[in-house]
Amino acid sequence: MMEKKMYDLVIIGSGPAGMGAAIYAVRAGIETAVVDRSPVSGGQVLTTYEVDNYLGLPGLSGGELSERFREHADKLGVTFVTADVQKIENHTDKKIVFTDEGSLEARAVILATGASHSMLGVPGEMKLSGLGVSYCATCDGAFFRKRTVAVVGGGDVAAEDAIFLAGICQKVYLIHRRDTLRAADTLQKKLFSLENVEIIWNSEVKEICGEEIVEGIEVRNNQSGEQSSLAVNGVFIAVGVVPNTDAFQGLVQMDEKGYIVADETCMTSEKGIFAAGDIRRKPMRQIITAVADGANAVHSVQNFFVSQCSTL
Ligand code: NAP
């Protein structure tokens, strides 16, 4: 169990938003602890094969970029706590963060737990998860060397996954429900140049088939209504993300999708509670915007502390 201690600031999550906030907070002399359920910092970025749009550090893998963030934070003396946050109590004078390892107290809290992959919700998906159905190409791609796989989705993650898998697998189908991708242009150009990638447009996966491992998928063209079977060994699902806000239900205002309502100041509906990164309702979820949120959130934390002093 952790020692009960009062911090100025507890940051929950050690992805780019949490790490960005930690660095700004510690440099501002704010006594800070970062709590993450994983001892490996990085969050979603850890599953990214190559990050080519983070300023000044092109071409690093998600793991390498996360390590750089962690090294930077360690160098500044950030305190990391490995624990799973279960609930936060909001009192006028403090916030109590309850975890599976005990509780911490803080004058302010930054919620930066990011988002996780969505499920497709078709028959066979749950049953064959880990048996050919995967949500992380960089984690599981190597199991499909020289085999045939399908990627489902049309965003950045689907395009990145298909590009990564094309370097490992014999054949990659990209199945997308519309006739244009929403992935970045550079990714699309790369994707379209790959000979072993076949894009199946206007199509939806209706079922993932197989008794003990994935053997194929049933695909329906939503324009013609035609249904076809594709033999594949693996299915990589990349159909978006959902915010990791379960532990914060009822604590702060959220939108209908569960994202925390906060503008660029990262201030939530509750005083002293801030939201940074992919967990926040915002138009663009990128590593660089998450890091920027971290800095903005700490600026708001400082203003909050000043306002607390002036009301004493
Ligand atoms: P996304 O951009 O929301 O794309 C999700 C894709 O899945 C869309 O093409 C969507 O189709 C499709 N989709 C959603 N529900 C579906 C369903 N039930 N059946 C079939 N297809 C479905 O999500 P993402 O690619 O996971 O990316 C998440 C965020 O992370 C994005 O903001 C992205 O830009 C960001 N990201 C950034 C980086 C980076 O900074 N380098 C890297 C990766 C991701 P429609 O297009 O028809 O809606």
Side-chain angles (χ1 to χ4, degrees), residues 53 120 152-158 160 176-178 182 238-241 285-287:
N53 57 1
L120 193 54
V152 188
D156 285 342
V157 172
E160 281 178 353
H176 183 40
R177 64 184 178 183
R178 294 187 297 117
R182 67 170 72 231
V239 294
V241 293
R285 295 194 172 84
Q286 298 282 299
I287 300 168

Side-chain angles (χ1 to χ4, degrees), residues 49-50 137 151 156-169 172 174 183-194 196-197:
Y49 169 59
E50 187 179 343
V151 174
D156 285 342
V157 172
E160 281 178 353
D161 284 0
I163 292 165
F164 173 69
L165 290 164
I168 298 174
C169 302
V172 178
L174 179 74
D185 276 355
T186 45
L187 289 172
Q188 295 200 32
K189 275 197 190 104
K190 172 87 191 186
L191 189 68
F192 297 151
S193 74
L194 296 169
N196 60 343
V197 175

